[in-house]
Amino acid sequence: MKKTGKKCVSIVACTAMAMAVLTGTGIGASADDVTLEVETSWTGEQLDALQSIMDDFTEESGIGVELIAPGEDYENVMKTRMASGDLPDLWETHGWSTTRYAEYLSTVNDMEWFDQISDAIKGTVTDKDGNVYVLPLSLDPASICYNKDVFEAAGVEPGSIRTWADFEAACDKILAAEKVPVYVGGKTVDNTANLMEVIAPGFLTNSDVAENQGDALLDGTFDFDTYWTPIAEMLQGWMQKGYFNQDILTASNDSAIQALAMGECAFVISGNHTIVQAQEYNPDANLGIMAIPSPSEEGSSYVSSGEGTCYGMWKDSEHQEECKTLLNYLAQPDVCKQIATVNGKIPGLKGVTNEDEYVTKEFNEMQELYKDDLISIQYFDRQYLPSGMWNDMGVSTNEIFMDPDGDGVSKCVESIKTAYTEKMNQ
Amino acid sequence: MKKRKRMLNLFYIPALILILFFVVYPLLEAFRISFTQWNGYSQDYKYIGFSNYAKLFKDENFRTAFINTIIYGFGSTLLQNVFGLAYAVFLNSRFRGHSVVRTFIYLPAMISGLIMGYIIYFFVMYNHGVFNEIIGWFGAAPVDWMADGPRGVIIMTLINSWQFVGICMVIYLAGLQNVPQMYLEAAEIDGANSWQRFRHITFPLLLPSIASAVVLNLIGGLKLYDVIVALSGGGPGFTTHSLASYISNQYFKAQNAGYSAAVGIFTFFFIMIVANIFTRYFNKKEVEM
Amino acid sequence: MKKKRNYMHKSNWWKYLLAVVIVIFHVLPLYVLVVMAFKTKTDMSSLLTIPNYFYPDNFIKIFKKGEILNAFKNTAIVTVCVLFLEIVAGGLASYPLARNKSKWNQFISSVFMGIMMIPSLSILVGVYSLLVSIHGISTLWGLILVSVAFGLPMTIYLYTNFINAIPESLDEASAIDGCNVFQSFFKIILPQLKPVTVTVLILNGVGIWNEYAYGLYILQKPKTYTLTLMISQYFSTGGKDFNGAAAAACIAIMPIVIAYICLQKYFIQGTIDSAVKG
């Protein structure tokens, strides 16, 4: 009796599980209606905003959109998908539309909005054959964000910082006012990489650099020992003088944003989106944007910019027409504006402006302030380094902070040199 | 009887199919990739012979990851067994409420290593972190706990041990309860002190438990990945990577898929050998007992 | 006897003290998690203090989004299917492994042991391209099959140890009675496997419930996310909301914690069986 009972139970359990397996396989099967797979690096509130834009699109066109948002793992996931030749219908190219992703994307040169792409970003997204692969909804200026209240308390004048020497003088004042001058969330390698991204062009590749290294970087003859060392030494100096937060190696990205929002630090060297995020913590935070100082008196301050939010379509997508419909939808001025604004970027299409937004206002104010000597450049690593160097740039920079009083600088240079040589040979 | 034995092999089929398909085939594929130079996604790659394996000997970061893996694996095995046994002896002394204590010690083992890593981040943070707050009560200056690689490795070994010590404890607790009270009482009458009783009666009887506990802990420790991802991401620099996290770092972040595959193959054989040594050792030991 | 009780009574105070210290030591992280989940994003007070206001909004927000319920469903499907397949395939494979002590079996056994210990990520590339070719990406069955393959060795290890302890004379007796191997297995061995099956359910179940590394690469569509994936989303995003993430983590670990507390006896017995029969 007991045995049969047990048997019954196990049979029922088996059937139930088998059913579960079957329904399990059901998931992932394609539906009848077209649903586009769109992969985005956005998360949180930005993602919610994007979702609602996509919902509106679905309502209007009847084309479904499934947003895939792997967050911090975005790049890794995209790489596995490229490796296996299984890409989403559309995806965000985060600065790599002409290099890493070009071989997988359709060109957009014949799209109706092609001529509307603003001049500020057109060069960045065009490859050497004149092809464009993405709809550039926004461009992303990389600069330095600062807290105005901290500046005032420390007696630093906005706009007075034109060279790194000025910057260091300002840092000393801020230290005297008992605030952290530069906050870096070094737990995320991106943030240390970004230091080099921002600082290196002034030393190496800007048009006003005397011994311009642009060609050397591109053809693999660049001499890291001679030219990368001064940059590393500057950061080493900052470390020794205590300009950084104590926990530079372990602070999260979030804590840097928080510190900026709460007026605990003066600078966060990062793009405009930092301001949007900081204001989520403290809506009253008084924040500004400044241009990147030059290493010399003669050099100009600069703002580097690159692809902001750009979407391209997979060339082998089964739903080419629907992809185009979605890109056309996104290219509408008010949609473009909304997408650019949600993470504090500048719209990438002509005639679309978001001037009333806090960040854009600040950005324009900065441009006004620096207008006599401001140059605009493209992202350093995308233009001059082989693909895949971003991580190496960050990890090698960490070496400086791990051993600022010893041979951190030489380890940093050694490490980035090795990575560069390896990647150039690939 | 022979036919019977042959028939018996049919039982392997489902398991073997699954393992051939999802482990052995990918392993061979990884083996092939380990001879290439490949960025991990592009359609073109080239065969470069044993260069990736040669690089293993030169790569300092690999050496660090290797040593860390050993620390994660053997360090947590040691800690978990020592503390697991201590907890078990303590709880076995049977005070009221000992089962509540057992419940709580075992509880963290239920939680994903990833989530645990995120939680522990709140402890080791420099600003407002729990550890710094606690040492602040005693007037100590805050410490940036994870900024130093070796200290980070120790902290993560401790976390892993702390989280899974309950498993060891439970195994030992059962082992202790299987030690016949009679033997211990007899030994006590013969004048053996408590250490002698433990050493000569309890410990040998615990040996099967020790074998299982060690194997289970080694598995967990040598594979450590989730906690590292959540807590340090392998940083600062490469100082806290385990082989597992280094593999994914080299594949995805550094775009050295070929090299990453070589590290993977190395890891595979290294751990296979360690596993075999341990099982052989314990099997022999048990036969001896 | 009387003397003994008296002795225990007197010296017990230090045990209670030690017990309290141990409990705090092991519960503190969960306490911090729960406290964080009930705080607002802008609350900068110590992580150890309980907020003096009641703020359930972090939880409400998560349930309003609704994703978590779907993630629950996915995690449950994956867990159930993986366990079922592991038990069937693992239970079967253990029988010859325990009964046949040939060189070949030794080899299979060491292969299983090796697989049990390797970080499954070491062969990620191969697994991923295989799944792509069989259209297993972003499907639960893709993750299920891969997890079963990697979880099998552990299952087999446990079952083999257990079957080793069942006297072989029982099979032999049944063989003499005219049973073939299948009948011997189903009549003699299978009915005795209940305790070790509970062990497998618990040890592997917890492992699968908490799976992260492979899920990340296999399950790319939000519809297929499991709980751990969702939690890592909450934690790893820029400009993040730690309190919201803490609330999500609380929800994700709740079922397993409740299951553990209610079925504690089985959890602990399972762990014990895995060891003692070994």
Side-chain angles (χ1 to χ4, degrees), chain B residues 6-208:
Chain B
R6 221 176 301 137
M7 288 289 280
L8 215 46
N9 284 334
L10 292 176
F11 282 74
Y12 284 132
I13 291 172
L16 273 186
I17 289 178
L18 279 163
I19 286 178
L20 281 176
F21 223 115
F22 291 99
V23 181
V24 177
Y25 167 77
L27 178 70
L28 295 176
E29 181 73 3
F31 196 59
R32 183 180 67 81
I33 292 169
S34 73
F35 292 105
T36 65
Q37 186 175 57
W38 182 41
N39 63 11
Y41 56 86
S42 148
Q43 303 303 321
D44 49 83
Y45 48 82
K46 59 177 182 236
Y47 286 92
I48 53 164
F50 284 91
S51 308
N52 286 326
Y53 290 95
K55 191 177 162 191
L56 288 178
F57 295 98
K58 290 181 290 186
D59 181 4
E60 255 180 66
N61 299 328
F62 167 73
R63 205 175 314 144
T64 315
F66 180 63
I67 293 168
N68 289 347
T69 304
I70 290 177
I71 298 175
Y72 291 136
F74 290 88
S76 24
T77 303
L78 184 73
L79 285 171
Q80 286 173 61
N81 280 283
V82 170
F83 281 92
L85 188 55
Y87 279 163
V89 170
F90 175 58
L91 292 186
N92 202 39
S93 69
R94 298 268 146 185
F95 51 93
R96 198 188 298 205
H98 69 276
S99 65
V100 177
V101 180
R102 186 186 62 182
T103 308
F104 283 117
I105 294 175
Y106 195 90
L107 181 64
M110 296 293 112
I111 291 161
S112 138
L114 187 85
I115 294 179
M116 200 46 92
Y118 286 130
I119 300 175
I120 299 296
Y121 183 71
F122 300 136
F123 282 69
V124 297
M125 284 190 302
Y126 182 76
N127 286 318
H128 316 294
V130 174
F131 286 164
N132 280 342
E133 190 179 330
I134 291 173
I135 64 168
W137 296 340
F138 303 101
V143 175
D144 191 6
W145 297 97
M146 299 299 290
D148 180 54
R151 187 168 58 209
V153 171
I154 292 170
I155 289 176
M156 286 194 281
T157 310
L158 289 172
I159 292 166
N160 187 48
S161 312
W162 166 84
Q163 194 182 350
F164 295 107
V165 71
I167 293 178
C168 255
M169 172 197 69
V170 164
I171 292 172
Y172 286 130
L173 209 47
L176 287 175
Q177 280 156 20
N178 280 353
V179 175
Q181 207 57 41
M182 223 166 63
Y183 291 9
L184 293 171
E185 278 163 15
E188 197 174 0
I189 290 164
D190 288 347
N193 65 24
S194 55
W195 168 249
Q196 285 168 328
R197 270 174 289 162
F198 178 79
R199 173 69 192 81
H200 294 287
I201 299 172
T202 314
F203 187 74
L205 287 170
L206 275 182
L207 213 67

Side-chain angles (χ1 to χ4, degrees), chain C residues 7-62:
Chain C
Y7 165 83
M8 276 177 69
H9 192 75
K10 241 189 269 170
S11 65
N12 264 2
W13 66 270
W14 67 268
K15 283 186 182 169
Y16 288 115
L17 185 69
L18 187 57
V20 169
V21 170
I22 291 173
V23 169
I24 291 177
F25 179 61
H26 281 269
V27 178
L28 198 61
L30 287 180
Y31 165 80
V32 168
L33 184 73
V34 173
V35 166
M36 279 203 78
F38 280 103
K39 282 184 177 175
T40 64
K41 194 174 168 181
T42 45
D43 186 338
M44 299 282 165
S45 64
S46 158
L47 295 175
L48 292 172
T49 53
I50 298 171
N52 55 7
Y53 51 87
F54 180 66
Y55 183 76
D57 292 25
N58 290 324
F59 291 93
I60 294 170
K61 244 191 277 173
I62 286 161

Side-chain angles (χ1 to χ4, degrees), chain B residues 4-5 11-12 21 87 93-94 96 102-103 106 110 133 162 171 174 212 216 223 225 251 271-272 275, chain C residues 8 15-16 26 46 92 97 100 105 114 116-118 121 125 154 179 184 210 260 264 271-272 275:
Chain B
R4 219 179 133 81
K5 295 258 171 190
F11 282 74
Y12 284 132
F21 223 115
Y87 279 163
S93 69
R94 298 268 146 185
R96 198 188 298 205
R102 186 186 62 182
T103 308
Y106 195 90
M110 296 293 112
E133 190 179 330
W162 166 84
I171 292 172
S212 316
L216 281 172
K223 279 194 203 176
Y225 173 76
Y251 186 166
I271 295 183
M272 191 100 140
Chain C
M8 276 177 69
K15 283 186 182 169
Y16 288 115
H26 281 269
S46 158
L92 284 176
L97 218 48
N100 239 348
N105 280 52
M116 183 157 87
M117 291 204 154
I118 53 158
L121 279 177
V125 194
M154 179 70 178
C179 288
S184 299
N210 292 332
Y260 162 67
Q264 210 196 122
T271 314
I272 292 167

Side-chain angles (χ1 to χ4, degrees), chain C residues 142-159:
Chain C
L143 179 63
I144 288 168
L145 290 178
V146 172
S147 308
V148 171
F150 279 107
L152 262 180
M154 179 70 178
T155 318
I156 292 172
Y157 171 77
L158 293 172
Y159 274 117

Side-chain angles (χ1 to χ4, degrees), chain A residues 75 79 82 94-96 98-101 103 218 380-392 419-420 422-426, chain B residues 39-42 252-256:
Chain A
E75 273 199 80
K79 282 175 191 168
M82 280 191 283
H94 59 101
W96 293 104
T98 57
T99 43
R100 188 184 299 168
Y101 294 122
E103 58 176 306
L218 289 173
F380 171 75
D381 72 307
R382 312 294 203 276
Q383 200 176 1
Y384 295 108
L385 295 179
S387 164
M389 284 291 290
W390 178 255
N391 184 62
D392 299 298
Y420 172 82
E422 232 169 56
K423 301 241 150 70
M424 284 307 275
N425 291 332
Q426 234 167 44
Chain B
N39 63 11
Y41 56 86
S42 148
F252 294 110
K253 293 269 163 73
Q255 299 191 6
N256 293 326

Side-chain angles (χ1 to χ4, degrees), chain A residues 68 121 138 223 301:
Chain A
I68 304 176
I121 184 118
S138 66
D223 178 3
S301 306

Side-chain angles (χ1 to χ4, degrees), chain A residues 203-234:
Chain A
F203 281 81
L204 304 174
T205 55
N206 279 358
S207 51
D208 55 15
V209 175
E211 294 174 69
N212 198 300
Q213 297 298 318
D215 293 336
L217 277 164
L218 289 173
D219 64 21
T221 58
F222 179 69
D223 178 3
F224 276 89
D225 294 308
T226 314
Y227 296 103
W228 200 263
T229 307
I231 309 177
E233 277 171 350
M234 185 171 89

Side-chain angles (χ1 to χ4, degrees), chain C:
Chain C
M1 199 55 206
K2 205 174 180 186
K3 196 181 149 204
K4 204 170 184 183
R5 196 179 291 154
N6 222 349
Y7 165 83
M8 276 177 69
H9 192 75
K10 241 189 269 170
S11 65
N12 264 2
W13 66 270
W14 67 268
K15 283 186 182 169
Y16 288 115
L17 185 69
L18 187 57
V20 169
V21 170
I22 291 173
V23 169
I24 291 177
F25 179 61
H26 281 269
V27 178
L28 198 61
L30 287 180
Y31 165 80
V32 168
L33 184 73
V34 173
V35 166
M36 279 203 78
F38 280 103
K39 282 184 177 175
T40 64
K41 194 174 168 181
T42 45
D43 186 338
M44 299 282 165
S45 64
S46 158
L47 295 175
L48 292 172
T49 53
I50 298 171
N52 55 7
Y53 51 87
F54 180 66
Y55 183 76
D57 292 25
N58 290 324
F59 291 93
I60 294 170
K61 244 191 277 173
I62 286 161
F63 277 112
K64 263 196 187 145
K65 268 189 167 174
E67 298 158 332
I68 202 150
L69 296 173
N70 192 42
F72 258 118
K73 196 187 88 198
N74 292 336
T75 309
I77 291 174
V78 170
T79 307
V80 169
C81 295
V82 168
L83 289 176
F84 175 72
L85 291 172
E86 275 177 355
I87 287 167
V88 171
L92 284 176
S94 312
Y95 186 46
L97 218 48
R99 288 293 183 250
N100 239 348
K101 299 286 182 199
S102 65
K103 272 258 153 65
W104 157 247
N105 280 52
Q106 289 252 310
F107 171 73
I108 292 200
S109 165
S110 58
V111 169
F112 284 162
M113 276 302 284
I115 293 171
M116 183 157 87
M117 291 204 154
I118 53 158
S120 46
L121 279 177
S122 61
I123 55 172
L124 173 63
V125 194
V127 171
Y128 191 87
S129 52
L130 172 69
L131 281 180
V132 169
S133 60
I134 59 172
H135 301 287
I137 296 300
S138 282
T139 64
L140 295 180
W141 61 262
L143 179 63
I144 288 168
L145 290 178
V146 172
S147 308
V148 171
F150 279 107
L152 262 180
M154 179 70 178
T155 318
I156 292 172
Y157 171 77
L158 293 172
Y159 274 117
T160 310
N161 279 345
F162 194 88
I163 297 174
N164 268 333
I166 299 173
E168 201 165 347
S169 56
L170 285 179
D171 312 26
E172 281 158 11
S174 75
I176 290 162
D177 286 350
C179 288
N180 63 30
V181 260
F182 298 98
Q183 286 164 329
S184 299
F185 180 76
F186 286 103
K187 283 196 180 144
I188 308 293
I189 305 296
L190 196 63
Q192 303 195 51
L193 293 182
K194 196 183 136 207
V196 67
T197 304
V198 172
T199 306
V200 170
L201 282 176
I202 283 163
L203 292 186
N204 291 9
V206 172
I208 294 299
W209 186 272
N210 292 332
E211 206 282 336
Y212 169 68
Y214 262 90
L216 171 64
Y217 297 106
I218 296 176
L219 304 177
Q220 297 184 343
K221 298 189 182 173
K223 268 189 204 155
T224 60
Y225 281 173
T226 55
L227 282 168
T228 35
L229 284 177
M230 246 199 54
I231 302 306
S232 78
Q233 291 282 298
Y234 274 102
F235 274 99
S236 73
T237 54
K240 55 194 133 186
D241 173 9
F242 274 142
N243 303 88
C250 282
I251 298 171
I253 62 177
M254 201 60 81
I256 207 150
V257 168
I258 290 174
Y260 162 67
I261 292 186
C262 297
L263 303 172
Q264 210 196 122
K265 200 177 83 193
Y266 296 98
F267 274 71
I268 286 173
Q269 193 57 44
T271 314
I272 292 167
D273 283 339
S274 77
V276 172
K277 296 290 180 338

